[in-house]
Amino acid sequence: MRASRLLSLLLLLQNRGRMTAQQLASELEVSVRTIYRDVEALSAAGIPLYGDAGHAGGYQLLGGYRTRLTGLTVAEAEALFLSGLPGPAAELGLGSVLAAATLKLQAALPAPLRGNADRLVERF
């Protein structure tokens, strides 16, 4: 599960830019301390992460770093059919799978299309 969380953390920073440890912890449903450990592990693995302390701080990827690790699993692909129904997906135990699939899809899209996808998600 940790590898999946590390990938999700990386994709969140790639898609959303700067995020605080608290925002990441809330999104990934873990403690802030777990985020600190995960960020340290990603940095040790050579991922160019930068962290600013303080009120306006947060973590971000340096230099436009982008990962190509965006392959979908079978469960994530199936969860896409429920993408407009986050409540039922969560009730079926697919909430985290749906969130991971959405992150991977956003990461796979070129920047102009990602903006369109974000607007569609907001609308529906």
Side-chain angles (χ1 to χ4, degrees):
M1 206 59 185
R2 182 168 190 227
S4 175
R5 188 178 65 243
L6 290 172
L7 180 57
S8 292
L9 190 153
L10 179 58
L11 292 173
L12 278 167
L13 292 173
Q14 181 174 304
N15 290 328
R16 297 185 188 171
R18 182 185 301 257
M19 292 182 75
T20 66
Q22 183 59 54
Q23 289 170 323
L24 289 165
S26 294
E27 191 73 33
L28 298 173
E29 299 177 352
V30 296
S31 70
V32 171
R33 183 66 195 133
T34 297
I35 294 299
Y36 293 152
R37 283 190 298 267
D38 288 352
V39 166
E40 187 176 324
L42 287 171
S43 291
I47 304 297
L49 280 169
Y50 179 75
D52 279 326
H55 179 66
Y59 293 104
Q60 67 183 12
L61 295 170
L62 292 178
Y65 178 84
R66 297 191 61 79
T67 181
R68 299 261 183 223
L69 300 174
T70 56
L72 292 174
T73 67
V74 173
E76 291 165 347
E78 291 171 351
L80 291 177
F81 293 106
L82 302 172
S83 63
L85 306 169
E91 289 176 15
L92 293 171
L94 296 173
S96 62
V97 173
L98 180 60
T102 301
L103 281 174
K104 288 178 181 180
L105 281 175
Q106 288 174 337
L109 292 173
L113 295 178
R114 197 173 319 120
N116 291 342
D118 290 341
R119 283 190 292 281
L120 285 172
V121 168
E122 288 175 16
R123 175 169 260 170
F124 294 102

PDB file of all heavy atoms in Angstrom, residues 59-79:
ATOM      1  N   TYR A  59       4.965  21.571  -0.118  1.00  0.00           N
ATOM      2  CA  TYR A  59       5.866  20.777  -0.940  1.00  0.00           C
ATOM      3  C   TYR A  59       5.521  20.986  -2.402  1.00  0.00           C
ATOM      4  O   TYR A  59       4.352  21.169  -2.757  1.00  0.00           O
ATOM      5  CB  TYR A  59       5.740  19.288  -0.606  1.00  0.00           C
ATOM      6  CG  TYR A  59       6.232  18.953   0.780  1.00  0.00           C
ATOM      7  CD1 TYR A  59       5.336  18.711   1.807  1.00  0.00           C
ATOM      8  CD2 TYR A  59       7.590  18.894   1.050  1.00  0.00           C
ATOM      9  CE1 TYR A  59       5.791  18.412   3.081  1.00  0.00           C
ATOM     10  CE2 TYR A  59       8.054  18.596   2.316  1.00  0.00           C
ATOM     11  CZ  TYR A  59       7.141  18.348   3.327  1.00  0.00           C
ATOM     12  OH  TYR A  59       7.596  18.058   4.582  1.00  0.00           O
ATOM     13  N   GLN A  60       6.554  20.925  -3.237  1.00  0.00           N
ATOM     14  CA  GLN A  60       6.340  20.998  -4.677  1.00  0.00           C
ATOM     15  C   GLN A  60       7.457  20.269  -5.393  1.00  0.00           C
ATOM     16  O   GLN A  60       8.528  20.045  -4.815  1.00  0.00           O
ATOM     17  CB  GLN A  60       6.263  22.443  -5.151  1.00  0.00           C
ATOM     18  CG  GLN A  60       7.551  23.220  -5.024  1.00  0.00           C
ATOM     19  CD  GLN A  60       7.380  24.671  -5.440  1.00  0.00           C
ATOM     20  OE1 GLN A  60       6.275  25.144  -5.612  1.00  0.00           O
ATOM     21  NE2 GLN A  60       8.479  25.365  -5.599  1.00  0.00           N
ATOM     22  N   LEU A  61       7.207  19.890  -6.628  1.00  0.00           N
ATOM     23  CA  LEU A  61       8.230  19.269  -7.455  1.00  0.00           C
ATOM     24  C   LEU A  61       9.048  20.365  -8.123  1.00  0.00           C
ATOM     25  O   LEU A  61       8.493  21.390  -8.528  1.00  0.00           O
ATOM     26  CB  LEU A  61       7.582  18.372  -8.511  1.00  0.00           C
ATOM     27  CG  LEU A  61       6.835  17.163  -7.963  1.00  0.00           C
ATOM     28  CD1 LEU A  61       6.037  16.490  -9.064  1.00  0.00           C
ATOM     29  CD2 LEU A  61       7.804  16.181  -7.349  1.00  0.00           C
ATOM     30  N   LEU A  62      10.327  20.157  -8.251  1.00  0.00           N
ATOM     31  CA  LEU A  62      11.212  21.161  -8.839  1.00  0.00           C
ATOM     32  C   LEU A  62      11.336  20.999 -10.347  1.00  0.00           C
ATOM     33  O   LEU A  62      11.244  19.888 -10.873  1.00  0.00           O
ATOM     34  CB  LEU A  62      12.605  21.061  -8.219  1.00  0.00           C
ATOM     35  CG  LEU A  62      12.715  21.450  -6.757  1.00  0.00           C
ATOM     36  CD1 LEU A  62      14.137  21.262  -6.284  1.00  0.00           C
ATOM     37  CD2 LEU A  62      12.284  22.886  -6.550  1.00  0.00           C
ATOM     38  N   GLY A  63      11.561  22.109 -11.002  1.00  0.00           N
ATOM     39  CA  GLY A  63      11.936  22.105 -12.409  1.00  0.00           C
ATOM     40  C   GLY A  63      10.961  21.445 -13.361  1.00  0.00           C
ATOM     41  O   GLY A  63      11.397  20.873 -14.358  1.00  0.00           O
ATOM     42  N   GLY A  64       9.682  21.491 -13.081  1.00  0.00           N
ATOM     43  CA  GLY A  64       8.715  20.879 -13.986  1.00  0.00           C
ATOM     44  C   GLY A  64       8.824  19.369 -14.061  1.00  0.00           C
ATOM     45  O   GLY A  64       8.429  18.757 -15.056  1.00  0.00           O
ATOM     46  N   TYR A  65       9.375  18.753 -13.018  1.00  0.00           N
ATOM     47  CA  TYR A  65       9.517  17.295 -12.994  1.00  0.00           C
ATOM     48  C   TYR A  65       8.175  16.623 -13.226  1.00  0.00           C
ATOM     49  O   TYR A  65       7.157  17.017 -12.670  1.00  0.00           O
ATOM     50  CB  TYR A  65      10.096  16.842 -11.652  1.00  0.00           C
ATOM     51  CG  TYR A  65      10.219  15.343 -11.536  1.00  0.00           C
ATOM     52  CD1 TYR A  65      11.314  14.678 -12.053  1.00  0.00           C
ATOM     53  CD2 TYR A  65       9.209  14.596 -10.933  1.00  0.00           C
ATOM     54  CE1 TYR A  65      11.424  13.299 -11.957  1.00  0.00           C
ATOM     55  CE2 TYR A  65       9.312  13.219 -10.838  1.00  0.00           C
ATOM     56  CZ  TYR A  65      10.423  12.577 -11.359  1.00  0.00           C
ATOM     57  OH  TYR A  65      10.511  11.207 -11.270  1.00  0.00           O
ATOM     58  N   ARG A  66       8.161  15.608 -14.095  1.00  0.00           N
ATOM     59  CA  ARG A  66       6.945  14.846 -14.368  1.00  0.00           C
ATOM     60  C   ARG A  66       7.305  13.362 -14.408  1.00  0.00           C
ATOM     61  O   ARG A  66       8.337  12.982 -14.937  1.00  0.00           O
ATOM     62  CB  ARG A  66       6.312  15.245 -15.692  1.00  0.00           C
ATOM     63  CG  ARG A  66       5.864  16.700 -15.685  1.00  0.00           C
ATOM     64  CD  ARG A  66       5.018  17.074 -16.852  1.00  0.00           C
ATOM     65  NE  ARG A  66       3.785  16.347 -16.967  1.00  0.00           N
ATOM     66  CZ  ARG A  66       2.668  16.572 -16.276  1.00  0.00           C
ATOM     67  NH1 ARG A  66       2.658  17.509 -15.367  1.00  0.00           N
ATOM     68  NH2 ARG A  66       1.584  15.887 -16.483  1.00  0.00           N
ATOM     69  N   THR A  67       6.446  12.547 -13.853  1.00  0.00           N
ATOM     70  CA  THR A  67       6.656  11.106 -13.889  1.00  0.00           C
ATOM     71  C   THR A  67       5.857  10.507 -15.040  1.00  0.00           C
ATOM     72  O   THR A  67       4.848  11.055 -15.457  1.00  0.00           O
ATOM     73  CB  THR A  67       6.236  10.444 -12.566  1.00  0.00           C
ATOM     74  OG1 THR A  67       6.483   9.044 -12.679  1.00  0.00           O
ATOM     75  CG2 THR A  67       4.783  10.652 -12.247  1.00  0.00           C
ATOM     76  N   ARG A  68       6.309   9.396 -15.522  1.00  0.00           N
ATOM     77  CA  ARG A  68       5.579   8.668 -16.565  1.00  0.00           C
ATOM     78  C   ARG A  68       4.882   7.441 -15.976  1.00  0.00           C
ATOM     79  O   ARG A  68       4.345   6.631 -16.704  1.00  0.00           O
ATOM     80  CB  ARG A  68       6.547   8.234 -17.653  1.00  0.00           C
ATOM     81  CG  ARG A  68       7.231   9.379 -18.341  1.00  0.00           C
ATOM     82  CD  ARG A  68       6.549   9.688 -19.620  1.00  0.00           C
ATOM     83  NE  ARG A  68       7.259  10.752 -20.308  1.00  0.00           N
ATOM     84  CZ  ARG A  68       6.646  11.743 -20.895  1.00  0.00           C
ATOM     85  NH1 ARG A  68       5.351  11.810 -20.885  1.00  0.00           N
ATOM     86  NH2 ARG A  68       7.332  12.666 -21.514  1.00  0.00           N
ATOM     87  N   LEU A  69       4.896   7.313 -14.653  1.00  0.00           N
ATOM     88  CA  LEU A  69       4.275   6.168 -13.985  1.00  0.00           C
ATOM     89  C   LEU A  69       2.773   6.398 -13.848  1.00  0.00           C
ATOM     90  O   LEU A  69       2.261   6.659 -12.780  1.00  0.00           O
ATOM     91  CB  LEU A  69       4.898   5.972 -12.602  1.00  0.00           C
ATOM     92  CG  LEU A  69       6.383   5.706 -12.573  1.00  0.00           C
ATOM     93  CD1 LEU A  69       6.881   5.684 -11.137  1.00  0.00           C
ATOM     94  CD2 LEU A  69       6.696   4.402 -13.267  1.00  0.00           C
ATOM     95  N   THR A  70       2.059   6.292 -14.951  1.00  0.00           N
ATOM     96  CA  THR A  70       0.633   6.611 -14.913  1.00  0.00           C
ATOM     97  C   THR A  70      -0.239   5.455 -15.405  1.00  0.00           C
ATOM     98  O   THR A  70      -1.388   5.659 -15.757  1.00  0.00           O
ATOM     99  CB  THR A  70       0.347   7.852 -15.762  1.00  0.00           C
ATOM    100  OG1 THR A  70       0.823   7.615 -17.089  1.00  0.00           O
ATOM    101  CG2 THR A  70       1.008   9.078 -15.195  1.00  0.00           C
ATOM    102  N   GLY A  71       0.278   4.241 -15.425  1.00  0.00           N
ATOM    103  CA  GLY A  71      -0.506   3.111 -15.896  1.00  0.00           C
ATOM    104  C   GLY A  71      -1.672   2.799 -14.975  1.00  0.00           C
ATOM    105  O   GLY A  71      -1.566   2.873 -13.772  1.00  0.00           O
ATOM    106  N   LEU A  72      -2.819   2.470 -15.573  1.00  0.00           N
ATOM    107  CA  LEU A  72      -4.012   2.134 -14.796  1.00  0.00           C
ATOM    108  C   LEU A  72      -4.037   0.653 -14.469  1.00  0.00           C
ATOM    109  O   LEU A  72      -3.680  -0.175 -15.300  1.00  0.00           O
ATOM    110  CB  LEU A  72      -5.280   2.465 -15.590  1.00  0.00           C
ATOM    111  CG  LEU A  72      -5.588   3.926 -15.838  1.00  0.00           C
ATOM    112  CD1 LEU A  72      -6.786   4.048 -16.766  1.00  0.00           C
ATOM    113  CD2 LEU A  72      -5.863   4.628 -14.542  1.00  0.00           C
ATOM    114  N   THR A  73      -4.501   0.321 -13.287  1.00  0.00           N
ATOM    115  CA  THR A  73      -4.746  -1.072 -12.947  1.00  0.00           C
ATOM    116  C   THR A  73      -6.146  -1.440 -13.433  1.00  0.00           C
ATOM    117  O   THR A  73      -6.952  -0.564 -13.775  1.00  0.00           O
ATOM    118  CB  THR A  73      -4.669  -1.311 -11.429  1.00  0.00           C
ATOM    119  OG1 THR A  73      -5.750  -0.631 -10.809  1.00  0.00           O
ATOM    120  CG2 THR A  73      -3.343  -0.834 -10.861  1.00  0.00           C
ATOM    121  N   VAL A  74      -6.462  -2.714 -13.457  1.00  0.00           N
ATOM    122  CA  VAL A  74      -7.782  -3.163 -13.886  1.00  0.00           C
ATOM    123  C   VAL A  74      -8.871  -2.582 -12.982  1.00  0.00           C
ATOM    124  O   VAL A  74      -9.887  -2.081 -13.460  1.00  0.00           O
ATOM    125  CB  VAL A  74      -7.850  -4.708 -13.904  1.00  0.00           C
ATOM    126  CG1 VAL A  74      -9.264  -5.186 -14.181  1.00  0.00           C
ATOM    127  CG2 VAL A  74      -6.886  -5.269 -14.930  1.00  0.00           C
ATOM    128  N   ALA A  75      -8.644  -2.607 -11.670  1.00  0.00           N
ATOM    129  CA  ALA A  75      -9.637  -2.080 -10.727  1.00  0.00           C
ATOM    130  C   ALA A  75      -9.862  -0.589 -10.952  1.00  0.00           C
ATOM    131  O   ALA A  75     -10.994  -0.102 -10.884  1.00  0.00           O
ATOM    132  CB  ALA A  75      -9.193  -2.345  -9.296  1.00  0.00           C
ATOM    133  N   GLU A  76      -8.795   0.155 -11.232  1.00  0.00           N
ATOM    134  CA  GLU A  76      -8.937   1.587 -11.483  1.00  0.00           C
ATOM    135  C   GLU A  76      -9.712   1.843 -12.764  1.00  0.00           C
ATOM    136  O   GLU A  76     -10.565   2.742 -12.819  1.00  0.00           O
ATOM    137  CB  GLU A  76      -7.558   2.246 -11.545  1.00  0.00           C
ATOM    138  CG  GLU A  76      -6.854   2.267 -10.202  1.00  0.00           C
ATOM    139  CD  GLU A  76      -5.381   2.572 -10.304  1.00  0.00           C
ATOM    140  OE1 GLU A  76      -4.821   2.532 -11.415  1.00  0.00           O
ATOM    141  OE2 GLU A  76      -4.781   2.828  -9.246  1.00  0.00           O
ATOM    142  N   ALA A  77      -9.437   1.056 -13.798  1.00  0.00           N
ATOM    143  CA  ALA A  77     -10.173   1.214 -15.053  1.00  0.00           C
ATOM    144  C   ALA A  77     -11.658   0.925 -14.847  1.00  0.00           C
ATOM    145  O   ALA A  77     -12.517   1.642 -15.368  1.00  0.00           O
ATOM    146  CB  ALA A  77      -9.585   0.294 -16.126  1.00  0.00           C
ATOM    147  N   GLU A  78     -11.977  -0.098 -14.077  1.00  0.00           N
ATOM    148  CA  GLU A  78     -13.383  -0.401 -13.794  1.00  0.00           C
ATOM    149  C   GLU A  78     -14.033   0.715 -12.989  1.00  0.00           C
ATOM    150  O   GLU A  78     -15.200   1.040 -13.191  1.00  0.00           O
ATOM    151  CB  GLU A  78     -13.487  -1.724 -13.040  1.00  0.00           C
ATOM    152  CG  GLU A  78     -13.131  -2.925 -13.894  1.00  0.00           C
ATOM    153  CD  GLU A  78     -13.036  -4.210 -13.093  1.00  0.00           C
ATOM    154  OE1 GLU A  78     -13.075  -4.156 -11.846  1.00  0.00           O
ATOM    155  OE2 GLU A  78     -12.915  -5.272 -13.720  1.00  0.00           O
ATOM    156  N   ALA A  79     -13.286   1.313 -12.086  1.00  0.00           N
ATOM    157  CA  ALA A  79     -13.822   2.384 -11.246  1.00  0.00           C
ATOM    158  C   ALA A  79     -14.170   3.621 -12.058  1.00  0.00           C
ATOM    159  O   ALA A  79     -14.991   4.434 -11.629  1.00  0.00           O
ATOM    160  CB  ALA A  79     -12.825   2.742 -10.152  1.00  0.00           C
TER     161      ALA A  79
END
